[in-house]
């Protein structure tokens, strides 16, 4: 009911709507409408009330709820169902639960903050309240587990395009799917799957984008490694007040659906071309630890299946499927040594 009332107010922003009209067809009393408006006000919506004229929406808070995101969304099915939490352990865990319960493909879980946000390779993901976009998308592609990598690459290309379209900010991609801004990480993608050997049952695509944090909002160990869109913009004397997260989230989801449809249609060449266009890895000196052995070399290409090709300093060319690759100059510890040894 709250969503219906809010969307009616949003469709008529700036105008008074009588209480009976707000509740029309919902079979609720005027008191129930009033209670609902009070709830919305508590969430940060500024709504004027007049006993004669009804209710008028004056301004909306920056929340990642269904009404705010839908306002900007341009998709057929991704984000058409959104489960929004004020606080949750991890949106990936909640999305997994929804998928197990049979939610439709494209269901999105968003949260204003996460208490146990997860990153890749068992790391934690800092997810402070209302400062970033913490969201997970449920996908059900008819593919094998090996083909999942391309969907993750498609997601990183979508994030870059979504950020560019909504903020004008250009970001890059560090293999496999870290989104980089000013040589620091602005966004990470965690893909988790439920699969059999030959078939994926569902995928959870978790996206964590730092939007409105200041340097002090990050834990000290991330100060040299992480950045938000706002920090970048402030350095350039713009966006002092921060960015509208719901608009960026919708922009990313819209681009994600475009790329996901391409993957489903078998058009992976376009995704790989997009990834290469925004890559900050190719042509760079890289380091990699695999099975406790450290390799160094130059990243030369990415395969159609999304593997990173490294021409290693020992003369062997290797194709990397997973792991962490360090790239010279990006998110580097100032003490790190990336010599050619
Ligand atoms: C990475 O390590 O680069 C991936 C970080 C992914 C973080 C996002 S935030 C939303 C979703 N929920 C999680 O617990 N993790 C992902």
């Amino acid at each position: 009911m709250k969503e219906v009332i809010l969307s009616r107010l949003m469709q008529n922003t700036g105008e008074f709507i009588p209480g009976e009209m707000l509740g029309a067809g919902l079979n609720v009393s005027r008191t129930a409408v009033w209670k609902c408006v009070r709830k919305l006000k508590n969430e940060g919506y500024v709504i004027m009330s007049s006993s004669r004229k009804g209710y008028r929406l004056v301004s909306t808070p920056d929340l990642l709820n269904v009404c705010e995101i839908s306002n900007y969304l341009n998709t057929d099915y991704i984000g058409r169902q959104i489960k929004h939490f004020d606080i949750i352990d991890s949106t990936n865990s909640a999305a997994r639960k929804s998928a197990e319960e049979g939610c439709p493909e494209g269901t999105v879980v968003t949260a204003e903050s996460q208490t146990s946000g997860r990153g890749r390779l068992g790391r934690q993901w800092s997810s402070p309240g209302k400062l970033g976009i913490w969201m997970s998308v449920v996908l059900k592609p008819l593919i094998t587990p090996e083909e999942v990598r391309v969907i993750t690459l498609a997601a990183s290309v979508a994030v870059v395009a979504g950020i560019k379209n909504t903020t004008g900010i250009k970001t890059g991609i560090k293999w496999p799917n870290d989104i980089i801004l000013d040589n620091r990480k602005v966004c990470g993608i965690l893909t988790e799957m439920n699969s059999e050997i030959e078939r994926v049952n569902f995928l959870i695509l978790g996206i964590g984008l730092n939007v409105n944090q200041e340097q002090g909002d990050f834990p000290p160990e991330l100060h040299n490694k992480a950045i938000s869109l706002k920090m970048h913009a402030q350095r350039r004397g713009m966006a002092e007040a921060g960015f509208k997260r719901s608009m960026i989230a919708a922009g990313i989801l819209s681009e994600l659906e475009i790329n996901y449809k391409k993957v489903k249609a078998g058009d992976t060449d376009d995704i790989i071309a997009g990834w290469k266009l925004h890559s900050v890895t190719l042509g760079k000196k890289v380091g990699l630890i695999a099975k406790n052995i450290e390799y160094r070399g130059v990243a030369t290409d990415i395969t159609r299946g999304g593997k990173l090709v490294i021409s290693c300093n020992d003369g062997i060319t290797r194709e990397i499927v997973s792991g962490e690759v360090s790239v010279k100059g990006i998110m580097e510890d100032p003490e790190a040594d990336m010599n050619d040894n």
Side-chain angles (χ1 to χ4, degrees):
M1 167 173 140
K2 198 176 71 179
E3 275 74 32
V4 177
I5 289 190
L6 179 56
S7 73
R8 285 177 182 172
L9 284 167
M10 285 174 103
Q11 278 158 19
N12 297 280
T13 303
E15 286 167 33
F16 274 101
I17 318 176
E20 311 83 72
M21 262 175 76
L22 267 188
L26 297 176
N27 213 6
V28 290
S29 66
R30 285 182 63 167
T31 315
V33 170
W34 173 79
K35 279 188 182 161
C36 204
V37 168
R38 196 177 54 180
K39 260 194 213 156
L40 288 168
K41 283 181 176 176
N42 286 341
E43 287 174 18
Y45 289 87
V46 179
I47 300 169
M48 279 176 68
S49 322
S50 148
S51 52
R52 227 169 21 90
K53 294 190 269 183
Y55 301 98
R56 178 161 82 94
L57 180 63
V58 178
S59 70
T60 58
D62 182 24
L63 295 174
L64 296 175
N65 64 24
V66 62
C67 289
E68 295 303 317
I69 292 181
S70 305
N71 218 6
Y72 305 103
L73 200 62
N74 183 16
T75 58
D76 291 331
Y77 56 94
I78 292 188
R80 288 292 153 200
Q81 178 151 324
I82 296 179
K83 293 187 180 178
H84 171 249
F85 295 88
D86 189 39
I87 183 162
I88 199 165
D89 52 353
S90 153
T91 56
N92 264 36
S93 304
R96 173 180 288 266
K97 193 162 171 275
S98 292
E100 282 163 358
E101 288 164 359
C103 72
E105 177 166 60
T107 296
V108 172
V109 177
T110 58
E112 301 302 335
S113 75
Q114 298 183 117
T115 52
S116 309
R118 291 200 295 276
R120 286 178 60 235
L121 308 171
R123 296 185 186 127
Q124 292 180 343
W125 185 261
S126 158
S127 324
K130 296 188 180 154
L131 294 176
I133 295 172
W134 325 125
M135 68 177 176
S136 303
V137 186
V138 177
L139 298 176
K140 301 180 177 180
L142 293 172
I143 56 171
T144 63
E146 286 90 77
E147 292 167 309
V148 168
R149 205 173 300 114
V150 174
I151 296 191
T152 313
L153 299 183
S156 50
V157 177
V159 169
V160 168
I163 294 173
K164 175 75 176 42
N165 295 346
T166 53
T167 67
I169 296 175
K170 285 185 190 164
T171 53
I173 310 170
K174 173 179 167 288
W175 190 88
N177 46 34
D178 287 344
I179 309 300
I180 302 295
L181 179 60
D182 297 342
N183 293 331
R184 297 185 190 182
K185 184 157 161 174
V186 69
C187 174
I189 300 173
L190 174 68
T191 310
E192 296 179 317
M193 70 174 157
N194 176 308
S195 75
E196 293 157 32
I197 286 182
E198 289 180 4
R199 189 183 78 154
V200 169
N201 296 323
F202 61 80
L203 277 184
I204 308 295
L205 213 58
I207 298 171
L209 173 61
N210 301 323
V211 181
N212 287 327
Q213 291 102 320
E214 310 273 351
Q215 173 95 334
D217 294 314
F218 290 102
E221 65 274 17
L222 296 183
H223 282 185
N224 287 325
K225 295 185 172 167
I227 191 167
S228 70
L229 296 176
K230 183 176 172 183
M231 284 160 67
H232 166 89
Q234 279 178 339
R235 286 183 194 164
R236 281 153 186 78
M238 50 188 264
E240 287 294 320
F243 292 98
K244 184 111 176 148
R245 292 173 306 141
S246 50
M247 188 163 87
I248 301 172
I252 291 172
L253 294 173
S254 301
E255 288 295 323
L256 181 64
E257 187 174 284
I258 294 171
N259 284 357
Y260 183 54
K261 283 180 176 170
K262 283 183 192 166
V263 174
K264 288 216 280 196
D267 189 7
T268 50
D269 286 354
D270 199 58
I271 302 298
I272 299 293
W275 191 94
K276 283 184 180 177
L277 189 68
H278 301 294
S279 166
V280 294
T281 308
L282 297 184
K284 297 271 175 61
K285 284 183 186 173
V286 294
L288 161 82
I289 296 177
K291 293 185 185 148
N292 285 333
I293 303 174
E294 191 176 0
Y295 299 99
R296 290 183 182 203
V298 174
T300 54
D301 203 1
I302 184 165
T303 67
R304 290 192 77 227
K307 294 179 192 168
L308 185 69
V309 182
I310 302 181
S311 170
C312 294
N313 294 346
D314 60 7
I316 298 174
T317 297
R318 294 182 171 85
E319 287 187 1
I320 309 304
V321 277
S322 64
E324 190 75 333
V325 165
S326 54
V327 179
K328 182 147 178 70
I330 294 178
M331 285 161 62
E332 250 183 355
D333 180 340
E335 306 295 311
D337 171 22
M338 285 281 289
N339 294 328
D340 289 36
N341 54 8

